[in-house]
Amino acid sequence: MTNLTILQLNDLHGYVEPHSELRRDAHGDFQFAQMGGLARIKTLFDQARQENPGGVIALDNGDTFHGTHFAVQDRARAMVPLINALGFDAMTLHWEFAYGPERVAEISSELAHPMLAANIFCEDSSELFMPPSTIIERNGVRVGIVGLACPIVDKTMPPSFSKGLRFVTGNAELPGHIERLRQDADLIVVLSHLGFPQDVQLAKDVAGIDVIVSGHTHNRMENAVVVNGAIIFQSGCHGSYVGRLDLDVSENRIQGWRHRLIPVDDSVASDPGLADAVAAALASERQSMSEVVGHTDVALHRYAMLNSPMDDLLLEAVAEAAGTPIAFSNGWRYGAPIAPGPIMMNDLWNMVPVDPPVSVVDVTGWEIREMLEENLERTFASDPYEQMGGYIKRMRGVRLVFKAENDKGRRIDRLYIDGAQIEESARYTAAFITAQGVPAKFGANRRKLPISAIEALRRRLARPWVGAEDAESSSTELI
């Protein structure tokens, strides 16, 4: 019997040092803790390698190099060496494409491990943008690893992210890669950034998968699941947890397995060398990012599907900057929680690391309804492969009441704009940030204002944040 250990880091989003995080205590209540940090993660990886010499595979699901000021300020150049220190064997990707395909290719060349994606093609071609797979041998077991990047990049994100590229789900392509790899590999691992619902469907649709290392949806899975013979696990976000799957392998088959979701908390010592390297990399921005810019009386987070206090603050700032009661943003999942107390500049960048301009657009009531129906479909589609969003679109000045189980295009039950029933022929001026806030096909007379999201937040935080104003007219309700 041979023991293999698969270590997972998914959806790091640029968090290289410990950060504020929400976790449940022994009673199931949420409490704040300092979690994560690459130096602690290295300790956990090194411990696993000591426990199972020659038997460890470390995998990164992507959303690694974007999400903090440190990551975006130099397009991940200072971050790459820090990630290389962890000794990954492969990664796939998603928000890395915020820097454009050319920079993605550069990052790939700078990494000590391969980027894999069997579902990204050069436009109008069958040529793959990067290698689809690799084979890694550990303790005599050959493991074929296939990467599946996030397929929504050319569908819901800015065009610059996917210029010259075509993204597919990968479910149609995967069987061919499995058949090819099976000629030389004993086990098949899919390294996926599709999302947990999509990975469950993938396991149902595609035979021959042994393990799916899942990412994208930030699920903290205390327990792995088995679907059609494939073991599926995912490990939260922001580097707050590491996933570990131990496999007992004999005669080219998994005979037994054990899964752990490991908290990266203060019980884990930091690796001194990597801790020093992280501190040195952050030194140039430490003072500016530590500036106190405001205060919150309530916890700010994005850990809820329907509404989030972090986005309530963001949208109030955007609406004030634009002088309109209506504002829209994307339902992002990333962004470390902020405990009640001071808000620092670093927190603002964690909220909205792209720092887009505040924009306004004129939209009809009919367009708002259609935009929200599209967003609800991308969030709750009965076909997991059609789920292309994060959480529900964040809104201010809009009250949405909906039924998630209804058919596509028929989920909205009631819709109010600024406290009044929506008039579909009426025209409304709405503020928004990023193309995901109000997609380009909706509205007219788009214009960017001479203020960015972070500056709008700074102005709003000249007054303490005590929670959302006009909560009754700005909410999303599931019935």
Side-chain angles (χ1 to χ4, degrees):
M1 192 78 69
T2 301
N3 178 248
L4 295 182
T5 300
I6 297 176
L7 299 174
Q8 178 200 31
L9 183 66
N10 64 276
D11 299 276
L12 178 68
H13 283 294
Y15 286 78
V16 298
E17 64 177 348
H19 60 273
S20 181
E21 185 60 273
L22 281 169
R23 63 185 296 188
R24 291 190 186 276
D25 62 19
H27 304 288
D29 298 321
F30 277 112
Q31 302 290 339
F32 277 93
Q34 287 293 304
M35 299 186 71
L38 296 186
R40 291 174 176 176
I41 292 170
K42 180 168 170 44
T43 295
L44 290 171
F45 280 22
D46 288 348
Q47 288 173 350
R49 288 167 176 140
Q50 291 167 8
E51 293 167 9
N52 189 8
V56 174
I57 297 173
L59 299 175
D60 177 4
N61 283 82
D63 271 1
T64 303
F65 295 104
H66 190 278
T68 60
H69 181 268
F70 171 67
V72 303
Q73 53 89 24
D74 69 349
R75 297 160 65 90
R77 286 179 173 82
M79 190 174 170
V80 168
L82 305 179
I83 293 296
N84 279 339
L86 297 178
F88 284 108
D89 293 293
M91 74 170 290
T92 192
L93 63 170
H94 174 208
W95 265 97
E96 287 72 20
F97 280 102
Y99 305 126
E102 288 186 8
R103 176 60 188 146
V104 169
E106 289 177 357
I107 292 173
S108 179
S109 70
E110 296 164 6
L111 289 171
H113 52 276
M115 282 183 172
L116 304 178
N119 59 334
I120 307 176
F121 296 89
C122 298
E123 201 170 43
D124 302 321
S125 167
S126 60
E127 179 184 355
L128 285 167
F129 177 60
M130 56 185 53
S133 61
T134 188
I135 294 179
I136 296 171
E137 185 170 343
R138 292 290 186 271
N139 286 343
V141 178
R142 293 172 63 80
V143 180
I145 301 171
V146 185
L148 292 177
C150 187
I152 71 172
V153 177
D154 63 344
K155 300 170 184 66
T156 69
M157 306 185 85
S160 63
F161 287 24
S162 58
K163 185 177 180 180
L165 299 178
R166 175 172 57 90
F167 292 70
V168 300
T169 303
N171 54 324
E173 291 74 17
L174 187 56
H177 291 292
I178 292 175
E179 182 179 5
R180 172 178 54 82
L181 288 169
R182 282 290 183 191
Q183 297 175 17
D184 300 299
D186 305 311
L187 301 178
I188 299 296
V189 173
V190 176
L191 178 59
S192 168
H193 203 95
L194 301 185
F196 179 70
Q198 294 85 344
D199 289 329
V200 169
Q201 189 63 45
L202 186 74
K204 294 177 181 178
D205 293 344
V206 180
I209 304 171
D210 294 295
V211 176
I212 299 179
V213 184
S214 179
H216 181 54
T217 43
H218 296 194
N219 295 66
R220 290 183 193 173
M221 293 180 63
E222 295 282 352
N223 300 292
V225 299
V226 179
V227 179
N228 194 22
I231 305 166
I232 308 174
F233 68 107
Q234 192 178 139
S235 309
C237 61
H238 303 145
S240 299
Y241 294 84
V242 163
R244 175 169 173 164
L245 182 69
D246 286 287
L247 304 173
D248 299 321
V249 182
S250 178
E251 298 179 350
N252 302 336
R253 295 185 60 186
I254 297 173
Q255 306 292 344
W257 58 273
R258 297 158 302 282
H259 167 257
R260 293 168 57 200
L261 180 67
I262 304 172
V264 186
D265 57 20
D266 57 11
S267 69
V268 181
S270 294
D271 175 83
L274 188 50
D276 288 346
V278 169
L282 289 168
S284 63
E285 67 171 46
R286 186 73 75 188
Q287 183 174 353
S288 62
M289 289 297 107
S290 298
E291 178 190 356
V292 176
V293 295
H295 186 279
T296 177
D297 288 348
V298 299
L300 303 179
H301 65 83
R302 283 182 170 141
Y303 290 167
M305 174 65 75
L306 303 185
N307 301 286
S308 93
M310 182 177 287
D311 288 306
D312 289 342
L313 168 59
L314 174 60
L315 286 176
E316 188 170 309
V318 167
E320 283 191 6
T324 174
I326 307 168
F328 295 100
S329 183
N330 189 53
W332 291 305
R333 281 184 281 254
Y334 62 69
I338 303 168
I343 299 176
M344 295 186 292
M345 178 61 79
N346 190 60
D347 296 317
L348 305 190
W349 280 96
N350 292 347
M351 259 187 247
V352 57
V354 292
D355 190 23
V358 175
S359 299
V360 291
V361 62
D362 298 328
V363 285
T364 64
W366 179 87
E367 287 178 308
I368 291 173
R369 181 181 292 274
E370 288 297 300
M371 178 177 70
L372 296 182
E373 284 283 10
E374 180 180 280
N375 177 250
L376 291 171
E377 170 65 11
R378 286 180 168 175
T379 307
F380 297 108
S382 57
D383 179 355
Y385 296 142
E386 295 299 319
Q387 295 179 15
M388 299 183 189
Y391 295 138
I392 291 173
K393 184 181 296 296
R394 305 313 193 186
M395 298 168 279
R396 176 171 172 77
V398 179
R399 183 178 174 218
L400 168 66
V401 183
F402 74 100
K403 291 180 178 287
E405 71 272 19
N406 281 10
D407 291 339
K408 177 181 179 180
R410 295 182 174 87
R411 289 190 172 89
I412 294 176
D413 184 80
R414 279 161 281 162
L415 186 59
Y416 304 88
I417 301 294
D418 199 22
Q421 187 89 21
I422 193 170
E423 297 180 28
E424 298 204 351
S425 61
R427 188 168 293 275
Y428 303 89
T429 299
F432 68 98
I433 53 171
T434 81
Q436 292 171 291
V438 178
K441 65 182 179 181
F442 296 111
N445 194 25
R446 286 174 174 257
R447 55 260 189 219
K448 296 179 180 178
L449 303 182
I451 182 172
S452 72
I454 288 177
E455 180 56 30
L457 281 163
R458 289 197 65 154
R459 292 184 185 181
R460 172 57 189 84
L461 287 169
R463 312 188 310 275
W465 174 253
V466 295
E469 299 174 0
D470 305 322
E472 178 64 22
S473 63
S474 300
S475 65
T476 301
E477 302 169 38
L478 175 65
I479 59 171

